Amino acid sequence: MTTARDIMHPGVQCVDEDANLVEAARMMRDLDVGSLPICGKDDRLHGIITDRDIVIRAVAGGLDLAATKVSEFGCHVHWVDASDSVAQVLRTMEDNQIRRVPVIEEHRLVGMVSEADLARHLPEDQLASFVERVYA
């Protein structure tokens, strides 16, 4: 059985919950990613912030990016366990129409599964089905 650990991108970096949106945007730019997990002082996953959150909710909403903390964007986050099957990973992403999902092991963030990871590991027909369900 192939698991989330087998297909995830390891070594994901968190943005601190007290960082502001400018810091988060710079971090995304420097890491060349479209989202960042938000972690607290307890070293636990508290949410995810995306480049879309920053643009649509913050910039278009007229927020002061330097004064707005990423913790204000940390809504409910869906995640999978490192030992979950790829079928469970797909189900979580499809059911919640999300394009990336954090991978947790023993209450710690260990990686992220994104569309790119799925594209590298899934057969074409399974990938097409995923895309149809997430973007429908």
Side-chain angles (χ1 to χ4, degrees):
M1 171 181 80
T2 303
T3 65
R5 175 178 289 292
D6 298 327
I7 66 168
M8 73 179 190
H9 177 81
V12 66
Q13 283 191 261
C14 287
V15 62
D16 185 270
E17 65 184 343
D18 292 328
N20 65 45
L21 296 180
V22 173
E23 293 168 313
R26 286 184 181 141
M27 208 172 155
M28 286 180 198
R29 177 199 62 201
D30 295 346
L31 295 170
D32 193 27
V33 296
S35 70
L36 290 169
I38 301 169
C39 294
K41 304 223 181 317
D42 58 359
D43 196 31
R44 307 284 186 184
L45 179 66
H46 287 217
I48 290 184
I49 187 165
T50 66
D51 49 6
R52 181 175 170 80
D53 290 330
I54 294 171
V55 172
I56 303 298
R57 293 175 56 196
V59 174
L63 298 179
D64 179 348
L65 303 182
T68 305
K69 295 185 185 271
V70 297
S71 59
E72 296 177 40
F73 288 78
C75 57
H76 176 73
V77 62
H78 300 281
W79 55 273
V80 295
D81 191 270
S83 63
D84 284 351
S85 70
V86 170
Q88 179 59 45
V89 172
L90 287 172
R91 204 168 18 261
T92 298
M93 293 173 79
E94 290 169 357
D95 289 351
N96 298 289
Q97 292 190 311
I98 53 178
R99 295 177 285 167
R100 49 187 80 83
V101 64
V103 180
I104 305 292
E105 184 175 58
E106 296 181 14
H107 306 287
R108 299 280 186 236
L109 181 67
V110 294
M112 187 83 76
V113 174
S114 69
E115 287 175 304
D117 298 313
L118 297 177
R120 281 191 292 278
H121 293 94
L122 293 180
E124 230 176 83
D125 61 325
Q126 199 173 11
L127 183 61
S129 177
F130 165 78
V131 169
E132 183 179 323
R133 288 189 183 118
V134 168
Y135 290 97

